[in-house]
Amino acid sequence: MRHSRPKTLKLVALLTLMATLSYVAGCTTENRGSPTPSSQAPSSGEQKSSEPPKDVFADLKACDLLEPITSSQGFDPVQVETYQSDNGCGTSKSRYGSVSAYLVPNAGITDLKLNGGTKSPTTIDGRDAVEIKGNAGKGSCMIGISVTATARATVSIAMANSGTSDEACSVVKTMAEQIAPKLPRVN
């Protein structure tokens, strides 16, 4: 019977070489000298967090903000909408028009599109905001309220045939002023 010690030593040497090459492959080549790991592994007590940033609106729902305003004015029951974000709400009133509100955790007021409207800076409840008059044609207006640089709330209205964009902006500004105090204040 043959003794297998030389094969065992070769296997140990091969495994050691592979482990060394694996370690060196994870090192940077930016600095000359001794190789250093390109990223430090977390210690046994640490855990790396790969969670996405938290939604600034948390459990706040757009329909909870819009419903008290529109129900008292004779609008239809509010319904969840998902045009600007997953947290939107809309309603309409016959011969008047439609209203919507959105909480957008991943886009600020600078990301709002004009869609043919005219954009003007304004302030709502001490917050930076923009008014976009005519964003959906005649008789429409949208107000975007800044919550953070990358999060906003919007309130918009599209009035029926007889409404003007100035009237729409007056109505939507009143609604935005009622919603803004309920939005989170982030320092």
Side-chain angles (χ1 to χ4, degrees):
M1 201 189 253
R2 294 178 99 175
H3 197 23
S4 63
R5 181 173 258 189
K7 286 183 180 178
T8 304
L9 288 176
K10 286 180 184 179
L11 181 60
V12 169
L14 180 63
L15 291 173
T16 303
L17 178 63
M18 289 173 61
T20 302
L21 290 175
S22 174
Y23 174 79
V24 171
C27 298
T28 65
T29 58
E30 292 176 16
N31 297 324
R32 295 183 181 243
S34 301
T36 57
S38 60
S39 64
Q40 193 165 355
S43 68
S44 60
E46 277 181 48
Q47 284 191 348
K48 245 183 176 177
S49 176
S50 61
E51 291 181 27
K54 293 193 179 195
D55 183 346
V56 69
F57 298 111
D59 295 327
L60 191 59
K61 301 293 179 208
C63 285
D64 293 341
L65 300 174
L66 187 61
E67 191 276 331
I69 298 167
T70 58
S71 67
S72 65
Q73 296 179 18
F75 280 82
D76 293 338
V78 295
Q79 295 185 348
V80 172
E81 292 183 356
T82 57
Y83 177 67
Q84 289 183 38
S85 77
D86 289 342
N87 195 351
C89 189
T91 183
S92 62
K93 181 162 87 171
S94 181
R95 292 181 294 214
Y96 184 79
S98 61
V99 176
S100 65
Y102 280 88
L103 303 177
V104 184
N106 56 357
I109 60 173
T110 58
D111 299 312
L112 283 168
K113 306 291 184 234
L114 295 179
N115 296 330
T118 56
K119 188 184 220 180
S120 304
T122 188
T123 304
I124 302 290
D125 189 44
R127 301 170 188 261
D128 289 338
V130 292
E131 175 185 274
I132 304 175
K133 187 184 298 186
N135 66 307
K138 180 184 174 212
S140 67
C141 189
M142 174 189 287
I143 292 186
I145 306 164
S146 181
V147 176
T148 70
T150 58
R152 70 173 184 251
T154 62
V155 184
S156 60
I157 190 167
M159 298 184 84
N161 297 336
S162 61
T164 68
S165 292
D166 287 334
E167 291 171 322
C169 285
S170 176
V171 170
V172 83
K173 185 171 186 175
T174 300
M175 291 180 170
E177 288 170 342
Q178 293 176 56
I179 288 174
K182 298 173 185 172
L183 298 173
R185 294 248 182 222
V186 180
N187 296 332

